[in-house]
Amino acid sequence: QKEVEQNSGPLSVPEGAIASLNCTYSDRGSQSFFWYRQYSGKSPELIMFIYSNGDKEDGRFTAQLNKASQYVSLLIRDSQPSDSATYLCAAPSASYDKVIFGPGTSLSVIP
Amino acid sequence: KAGVTQTPRYLIKTRGQQVTLSCSPISGHRSVSWYQQTPGQGLQFLFEYFSETQRNKGNFPGRFSGRQFSNSRSEMNVSTLELGDSALYLCASSQGQGLTDTQYFGPGTRLTVL
């Protein structure tokens, strides 16, 4: 089992809809999680980070963490074509000796 | 504040050669991490340097090495290049609290091995 898993997509949503991106992780000791956005040909940029169970909101983005289920998600409200990118979920290992990235989910927002 | 810079941006080498990539972190950041990104394997952690010392290391062969200088600038070296080393190499800097710190990525160096 891969340590951080994501649906590779592509995920297509109409403009204005809610995009839901999901990530599961196998290392139960992982404590913090990051969501990065990567546009084609560009480097990843941080969208959100979350440490505590529950929801964390930042503008149109909401990260949700459920440590019991080893599940973290990213919701994008009022999706815009400019949100079309690959979204990467990442977590340091429980021993904090490496950062593990998921394979990424490709999101396409259709105008 | 200037972002993370990487040089060169593009590089073409042949098998068996070696290559050195450079990364300058954001001013004040003391940690530099290196990643390899390929379509098949995604983004994989190579190593992290902090205060001129390698603090963490991923699962890559010894052909991949790095170092960090006193000004926090870092270099990564790959010796005896193989075709499979063709990838985007990204460096990321952070303030240095560890791998739970927010990392800021540079634009990357695209390495092609022929």
Side-chain angles (χ1 to χ4, degrees):
Chain A
Q1 182 188 6
K2 290 185 179 178
E3 295 174 340
V4 176
E5 296 197 58
Q6 299 178 253
N7 291 330
S8 60
L11 174 65
S12 292
V13 300
E15 183 175 356
I18 296 175
S20 178
L21 306 164
N22 304 316
C23 173
T24 58
Y25 59 96
S26 60
D27 194 336
R28 190 170 285 278
S30 293
Q31 295 295 319
S32 54
F33 302 88
F34 299 83
W35 281 100
Y36 287 86
R37 176 177 63 197
Q38 187 173 24
Y39 291 113
S40 180
K42 301 293 185 181
S43 57
E45 58 179 327
L46 183 70
I47 298 294
M48 296 274 292
F49 62 88
I50 186 167
Y51 301 124
S52 304
N53 271 332
D55 295 0
K56 179 181 179 183
E57 187 174 319
D58 184 1
R60 296 187 296 112
F61 299 94
T62 299
Q64 299 174 320
L65 174 59
N66 183 325
K67 292 187 179 180
S69 300
Q70 296 177 242
Y71 176 92
V72 58
S73 65
L74 179 70
L75 301 178
I76 307 174
R77 290 183 301 281
D78 189 24
S79 295
Q80 301 297 308
S82 59
D83 295 325
S84 298
T86 296
Y87 290 80
L88 300 162
C89 172
S93 62
S95 53
Y96 298 106
D97 62 349
K98 60 181 175 180
V99 179
I100 304 159
F101 278 81
T105 297
S106 175
L107 172 66
S108 178
V109 180
I110 311 301
Chain B
K1 188 179 279 190
V4 179
T5 59
Q6 292 186 244
T7 57
R9 294 293 311 279
Y10 301 91
L11 209 48
I12 299 175
K13 292 286 187 180
T14 56
R15 281 184 301 173
Q17 288 187 309
Q18 75 168 23
V19 65
T20 299
L21 312 181
S22 181
C23 172
S24 292
I26 291 171
S27 178
H29 284 191
R30 299 171 63 191
S31 168
V32 173
S33 296
W34 288 90
Y35 295 86
Q36 180 195 68
Q37 188 173 34
T38 60
Q41 297 298 318
L43 198 59
Q44 293 186 287
F45 174 73
L46 279 156
F47 28 65
E48 182 212 8
Y49 283 87
F50 177 78
S51 292
E52 302 179 63
T53 301
Q54 186 181 88
R55 188 161 63 175
N56 294 294
K57 188 177 190 304
N59 299 322
F60 278 81
R63 300 186 297 106
F64 292 82
S65 63
R67 59 178 175 169
Q68 186 180 35
F69 303 95
S70 58
N71 62 358
S72 294
R73 189 177 69 86
S74 178
E75 288 182 346
M76 190 192 92
N77 185 77
V78 187
S79 62
T80 319
L81 285 166
E82 301 177 0
L83 294 178
D85 297 332
S86 294
L88 179 66
Y89 290 88
L90 293 159
C91 84
S93 78
S94 68
Q95 291 184 330
Q97 302 303 314
L99 294 180
T100 58
D101 229 1
T102 298
Q103 298 188 70
Y104 298 87
F105 283 85
T109 294
R110 174 75 63 183
L111 172 65
T112 301
V113 182
L114 303 176

